[in-house]
Amino acid sequence: MIRNYCKTALRSLNRNRGYTLTNVLGLTLGIACKVFIFSLVKYHLSVDAFHAKKNRIYRIVTENRLEQTVYSPGGPPPLGRAFREDYTFGEKVARIYVKRERLISLPHSSDNQKFLEEDGVAFAEPDFFHILDFPLVKGDKNTVLTNPNTALITERVAKKYFGDTDPMGKIIRLDNKLNFRIDGILRDLPENTDRRQEIYLSYGNLKDYNPWAGNDNNWLSYADELQSFVLLKPGVLPATVNQAFHDFSSKYYDGNYVKEWRFRLQPLSDIHFNPDFDGKITKQSLWALSLIAVFLIITASVNFVNLATAQALNRAKEIGIRKTLGSFRKQLFWQFMVETALIVFIAIVLAFMVLYWALPLLRSVFEVPVMSIFFYDYYLLIFLPLLFLLITFLSGAYPGLVLAGFQPVLALKGKISERHTGGFSLRRGLVVTQFTISQLLIIGTLVIAHQINFTRQTDMGFTKDAIVTLPLPTSDKSTVSTLRSEFSRLAGVERVSFCTQAPASESGNSFEIVYDTRTEKENYDVVFKGGDEQYLSTFGLELLAGRNLHSSDTVREYLINETLAKKLGVSNDGVIGKNAIINDTKGTIVGVVKDFHNQSFHTGIDPLCITTQGDWYNRIAVKINPSNLRRTLEAIAPVWKVTFPNHVYEYDFLDDQIARFYEQDYRILRLVQTFAGIAIIIGCLGLYGLVSFMITQKTKEVGVRKVLGASIRNILWLYGREFVRLLLIAFLIATPVAWWIMNSWLENFVYRINIGAGIFIMAIAITLVIAMLTVGYRSLKAALMNPVKSLKTE
């Protein structure tokens, strides 16, 4: 029986090739998107889920409760040590300090090879590898990093540095300062971990590299990079530990600091998803992606139902003959289900072929490490049969019941009409469903694109075009002076400034402020930026009151922004000449600069100060004449390399740095754009199916109208008006839903666009144009048909 079903199904599909091809194409696109989203969501859910004791692994995070609570995934330098010594909750406790974009050199190599590690290095206490599972392929897990000046590197890094030579015992040098002996080799990191550092150094050397981070008495400052991980003992509840942290704050802080400093445990499973603590993506975003995948599958299945029911009239006589010859309704139903299953199976195979071909492009465009070979994913091997059954049922059940229900007498007489196939109202509802989904995705794409354009085009309060930043390996005064002179001589260089950061940066330093004669510190921190006397002119910052900074490291002067002056409750002119203690250093406020965005538009403008502090400078900002950009960059390189021969030359455009603020938003835009395009394609296939059904039903009517004098335009409108009505209904349904969803998304931005009527008008216009092109082709073909031939149609 099954063999007969399959043979008959293949014949039927081959006989109706257009119908088969349209269905296969729609389902292939829907399934490909569903599988990709499945892999994407599964990847994010699997991040750091491979650790054997994951349910007992936590990170100690900091909440600094000032005027607005500031969240940090790190903490003060002594936090982990104090927790380990004061409490018995932890089976293992380890601190880790991450420093990104570090220079690694091989001092014993013949040419002193140098490598710039973008993910940087991590100073880690030995117990870190007893908490998280990063296995060693060489070395002793119980002794690694216990001795000073020792290091662990991954197999990949070992291959890059030393080729096929055994790396054990070799020496690497960090930032031309400290030497480390390789004491162990780690297995290459899995893709599904947020811990991307491939070089681990002994924590005992941290005080030599960064005295602040290695100071175990410093409780009044913290850094995101300095984190503490805990493996709780079996049976210890996180709530018990969090309660104990209240006493912890009382022990190490006095006065108001007790209320301000709070610590708590963050589960390992929450780290990847919590935006307050630098999570990569929210679980709400994963739910949204999953919902889009469901929508696309529904859209593809709706297509199938539309086309199948339209095709049903053409198969009426076939069904009538089968029933006359003794076929039961159940047999006819399963015959159609087998046809559906064959189409779905072909679509799944084609979807995998598309994904396999497109995988490198998907990985690069969407910047996600989805699995290279889907077939090796056993979760997918479970998911696919379920998806196959679901789509087969959604697509085939209703049309199968309709076909099997035809009365043989009516079918043989050709009396099967629209009402016997479920009625045109059903297909109207299906098309409305399809285009409601398409409208949602189109409106979402337009809103996200407008917001990203807003972030690009809105004045941030400083100049960002044609400014490059270079690393400054040393802040030695004579070197800085020489470099400034050399750069300034170059044609095309307009300004040169030495600083800690550009006006807008992803990270920074914040400190307490005590203003003038006030005895208490303010209930907020001040963002601290180091910059020389050329900082304002290089970045085009506007001075509203007072004067610019003088070139001095001995006399402390501060420039503050408008926001800080307002928070202090003083006018721009009234604050000039007043003293302030920032970072425990007393200085004089000499000027007020106009507010500028010091971070992305996701956050507000912080109170901040700018001061000259040469020993902190680590970047060179160079303003270049745009007309000479390429030649000037070529001229800068040899000057920098001669000055710093032991370092790796690199530069970064400021506007590229700012664009990286919105990397996650760009990814979301690319995803939604792609899925919106696919939804439109699938929807157009559905429209084509529906207009085909209408033309089949109205062939004689069109012939009569043409004989009575109807023009081609009248015939086209006969078909087009129906679809315009359906699309407008879909638009009315989608608009309030899309407005609510996108307003919720925009709440992630402090500075954002308003969703105006223009976006919705654009969305419906795009949909109407695409739909009319789809309907117009098939309608025009029908309108041009010879009316004599139309009137003869049975």
Side-chain angles (χ1 to χ4, degrees):
M1 182 65 72
I2 295 176
R3 182 180 178 184
N4 181 61
Y5 283 160
C6 292
K7 186 184 294 185
T8 305
L10 287 171
R11 289 173 180 169
S12 176
L13 296 178
N14 184 57
R15 187 168 57 252
N16 301 288
R17 292 175 186 174
Y19 160 80
T20 303
L21 182 63
T22 305
N23 272 327
V24 166
L25 179 59
L27 287 173
T28 297
L29 291 173
I31 291 169
C33 290
K34 180 70 175 178
V35 172
F36 175 70
I37 292 175
F38 173 84
S39 295
L40 182 62
V41 171
K42 191 182 76 66
Y43 158 74
H44 284 292
L45 292 176
S46 72
V47 169
D48 284 318
F50 58 86
H51 301 289
K53 302 171 184 175
K54 59 186 178 184
N55 294 329
R56 293 196 285 132
I57 298 174
Y58 294 82
R59 182 171 66 180
I60 306 176
V61 296
T62 302
E63 295 179 0
N64 202 1
R65 299 182 181 181
L66 301 170
E67 185 178 68
Q68 292 181 334
T69 301
V70 179
Y71 300 94
S72 172
L79 178 59
R81 175 193 56 79
F83 181 80
R84 180 168 51 229
E85 294 175 355
D86 291 1
Y87 299 105
T88 59
F89 298 127
E91 183 177 307
K92 298 287 184 182
V93 181
R95 291 176 289 179
I96 184 170
Y97 176 73
V98 174
K99 200 67 177 172
R100 301 185 185 279
E101 295 185 348
R102 295 298 93 190
L103 176 69
I104 299 294
S105 55
L106 307 181
H108 295 160
S109 61
S110 57
D111 54 352
N112 190 26
Q113 288 179 280
K114 299 180 290 292
F115 304 90
L116 185 67
E117 295 293 340
E118 291 188 6
D119 290 316
V121 302
F123 291 85
E125 292 184 318
D127 280 344
F128 180 78
F129 296 97
H130 292 272
I131 298 174
L132 299 178
D133 294 319
F134 295 115
L136 273 73
V137 294
K138 285 187 179 181
D140 186 350
K141 182 178 179 180
N142 296 316
T143 60
V144 292
L145 302 186
T146 54
N147 294 320
N149 298 101
T150 55
L152 295 175
I153 61 175
T154 63
E155 295 173 291
R156 190 192 69 83
V157 170
K159 183 75 173 177
K160 181 172 73 170
Y161 289 178
F162 305 106
D164 295 329
T165 306
D166 185 3
M168 295 293 285
K170 301 289 187 182
I171 301 298
I172 60 174
R173 178 173 293 167
L174 172 63
D175 288 343
N176 293 318
K177 295 178 181 178
L178 297 175
N179 287 349
F180 294 87
R181 185 188 73 253
I182 297 174
D183 207 24
I185 306 297
L186 291 167
R187 186 178 299 160
D188 282 338
L189 301 177
E191 286 188 324
N192 59 335
T193 179
D194 283 337
R195 314 302 310 185
R196 301 314 308 169
Q197 289 69 45
E198 297 186 83
I199 301 174
Y200 287 87
L201 309 173
S202 54
Y203 196 86
N205 292 107
L206 181 57
K207 61 181 180 299
D208 304 318
Y209 181 77
N210 185 331
W212 171 86
N215 181 2
D216 272 358
N217 295 313
N218 181 5
W219 280 97
L220 292 178
S221 57
Y222 61 91
D224 292 353
E225 300 88 354
L226 186 53
Q227 301 179 8
S228 298
F229 285 84
V230 178
L231 176 65
L232 293 183
K233 291 180 179 178
V236 175
L237 298 177
T240 305
V241 182
N242 288 334
Q243 184 63 37
F245 272 131
H246 292 290
D247 298 330
F248 194 75
S249 297
S250 301
K251 179 177 179 179
Y252 292 103
Y253 295 97
D254 299 322
N256 291 332
Y257 290 118
V258 176
K259 297 178 181 179
E260 292 176 7
W261 289 83
R262 287 287 182 267
F263 308 104
R264 67 178 176 87
L265 295 180
Q266 181 189 23
L268 180 67
S269 59
D270 183 62
I271 291 176
H272 187 70
F273 304 104
N274 195 324
D276 288 337
F277 299 104
D278 296 338
K280 305 300 182 184
I281 191 172
T282 63
K283 286 192 175 179
Q284 288 84 352
S285 297
L286 296 185
W287 280 111
L289 282 174
S290 302
L291 194 59
I292 288 173
V294 171
F295 283 165
L296 290 174
I297 288 296
I298 290 174
T299 302
S301 299
V302 163
N303 253 10
F304 194 104
V305 173
N306 260 340
L307 292 169
T309 50
Q311 185 74 10
L313 294 178
N314 297 330
R315 300 184 64 177
K317 287 188 177 181
E318 174 194 341
I319 300 300
I321 292 171
R322 284 177 177 274
K323 282 198 167 186
T324 302
L325 294 176
S327 291
F328 294 108
R329 180 171 182 170
K330 181 173 69 173
Q331 292 173 317
L332 292 171
F333 172 78
W334 284 111
Q335 173 65 57
F336 187 80
M337 291 300 288
V338 169
E339 291 181 19
T340 304
L342 281 174
I343 290 176
V344 175
F345 179 76
I346 294 169
I348 288 176
V349 172
L350 291 176
F352 267 82
M353 293 173 64
V354 170
L355 286 172
Y356 185 81
W357 171 79
L359 197 61
L361 179 65
L362 294 173
R363 290 172 67 97
S364 61
V365 171
F366 298 117
E367 299 175 0
V368 288
V370 291
M371 294 191 65
S372 300
I373 303 177
F374 291 105
F375 294 106
Y376 292 165
D377 186 348
Y378 64 89
Y379 284 104
L380 194 59
L381 295 178
I382 298 172
F383 172 74
L384 277 179
L386 296 177
L387 183 65
F388 171 78
L389 294 173
L390 177 65
I391 296 175
T392 302
F393 176 77
L394 287 176
S395 304
Y398 177 77
L401 290 172
V402 169
L403 283 169
F406 285 170
Q407 296 180 20
V409 175
L410 294 177
L412 291 172
K413 288 182 177 181
K415 300 296 184 180
I416 297 295
S417 65
E418 177 185 313
R419 64 185 179 85
H420 294 99
T421 62
F424 195 53
S425 59
L426 170 68
R427 277 170 287 283
R428 287 193 185 102
L430 295 177
V431 169
V432 168
T433 300
Q434 281 184 318
F435 275 89
T436 298
I437 293 169
S438 298
Q439 292 280 339
L440 286 171
L441 292 171
I442 291 171
I443 293 170
T445 299
L446 292 174
V447 171
I448 296 171
H450 275 68
Q451 176 62 26
I452 288 179
N453 286 334
F454 174 76
T455 64
R456 288 174 176 168
Q457 298 169 5
T458 302
D459 181 18
M460 296 189 71
F462 60 88
T463 302
K464 60 182 179 179
D465 298 325
I467 293 180
V468 296
T469 63
L470 309 153
L472 179 64
T474 176
S475 56
D476 177 71
K477 288 184 179 180
S478 61
T479 304
V480 167
S481 177
T482 301
L483 205 56
R484 186 192 300 277
S485 299
E486 293 294 326
F487 280 167
S488 299
R489 289 196 193 101
L490 299 175
V493 172
E494 297 180 347
R495 293 280 189 278
V496 180
S497 175
F498 294 83
C499 57
T500 56
Q501 300 160 340
S505 56
E506 290 185 279
S507 60
N509 299 296
S510 298
F511 300 106
E512 300 169 348
I513 178 173
V514 179
Y515 175 68
D516 198 26
T517 58
R518 299 174 188 175
T519 57
E520 295 291 329
K521 70 180 185 66
E522 303 300 316
N523 189 31
Y524 49 83
D525 283 347
V526 175
V527 173
F528 182 95
K529 291 185 180 291
D532 62 14
E533 70 280 5
Q534 297 295 321
Y535 192 82
L536 294 191
S537 57
T538 301
F539 292 106
L541 297 175
E542 184 180 345
L543 192 65
L544 297 179
R547 61 169 174 82
N548 191 12
L549 299 168
H550 287 154
S551 177
S552 174
D553 279 332
T554 55
V555 178
R556 180 64 58 229
E557 296 178 338
Y558 294 119
L559 292 174
I560 67 171
N561 66 347
E562 292 176 278
T563 296
L564 179 51
K566 291 174 184 175
K567 281 185 168 293
L568 292 172
V570 187
S571 67
N572 291 345
D573 292 320
V575 79
I576 304 300
K578 301 296 184 181
N579 291 326
I581 300 174
I582 304 174
N583 190 22
D584 296 327
T585 303
K586 187 174 183 179
T588 303
I589 299 173
V590 297
V592 177
V593 296
K594 185 177 180 180
D595 275 344
F596 57 87
H597 293 274
N598 63 293
Q599 294 186 73
S600 74
F601 284 13
H602 287 284
T603 61
I605 296 175
D606 295 313
L608 63 80
C609 74
I610 304 169
T611 186
T612 54
Q613 190 153 348
D615 56 342
W616 280 40
Y617 298 161
N618 54 21
R619 303 297 292 177
I620 313 167
V622 184
K623 178 75 170 72
I624 301 174
N625 188 319
S627 61
N628 297 322
L629 190 60
R630 184 173 179 178
R631 283 182 304 216
T632 306
L633 286 173
E634 291 174 350
I636 285 173
V639 175
W640 192 96
K641 290 177 181 178
V642 168
T643 309
F644 307 111
N646 294 323
H647 293 267
V648 176
Y649 173 72
E650 60 163 356
Y651 66 85
D652 202 5
F653 283 98
L654 179 57
D655 50 2
D656 289 339
Q657 295 176 35
I658 293 170
R660 286 195 286 272
F661 292 168
Y662 308 101
E663 282 183 343
Q664 185 62 33
D665 302 307
Y666 286 129
R667 290 192 192 103
I668 292 172
L669 175 61
R670 288 192 289 266
L671 283 168
V672 176
Q673 280 176 327
T674 302
F675 298 141
I678 290 172
I680 289 171
I681 293 172
I682 295 173
C684 288
L685 292 172
L687 274 185
Y688 188 85
L690 189 57
V691 76
S692 298
F693 175 81
M694 287 179 63
I695 288 169
T696 301
Q697 293 295 296
K698 295 178 182 287
T699 301
K700 282 192 175 180
E701 179 185 340
V702 170
V704 171
R705 286 176 179 270
K706 291 190 74 173
V707 169
L708 294 177
S711 65
I712 292 177
R713 187 176 62 182
N714 296 140
I715 302 301
L716 290 176
W717 180 239
L718 174 68
Y719 296 118
R721 65 186 178 187
E722 179 67 34
F723 297 107
V724 170
R725 188 181 303 121
L726 296 179
L727 294 183
L728 288 175
I729 293 171
F731 175 73
L732 293 175
I733 296 171
T735 297
V737 177
W739 183 88
W740 176 75
I741 292 172
M742 296 318 300
N743 257 312
S744 300
W745 180 77
L746 286 172
E747 287 178 0
N748 294 315
F749 294 85
V750 173
Y751 301 93
R752 57 181 182 257
I753 63 169
N754 292 317
I755 305 178
I759 287 176
F760 298 106
I761 293 171
M762 192 182 302
I764 188 62
I766 291 171
T767 311
L768 282 172
V769 168
I770 294 172
M772 294 314 296
L773 288 173
T774 304
V775 172
Y777 166 75
R778 191 71 179 85
S779 301
L780 184 62
K781 189 176 179 181
L784 294 174
M785 183 182 291
N786 189 326
V788 175
K789 187 177 180 181
S790 300
L791 292 171
K792 289 181 178 180
T793 302
E794 288 293 333

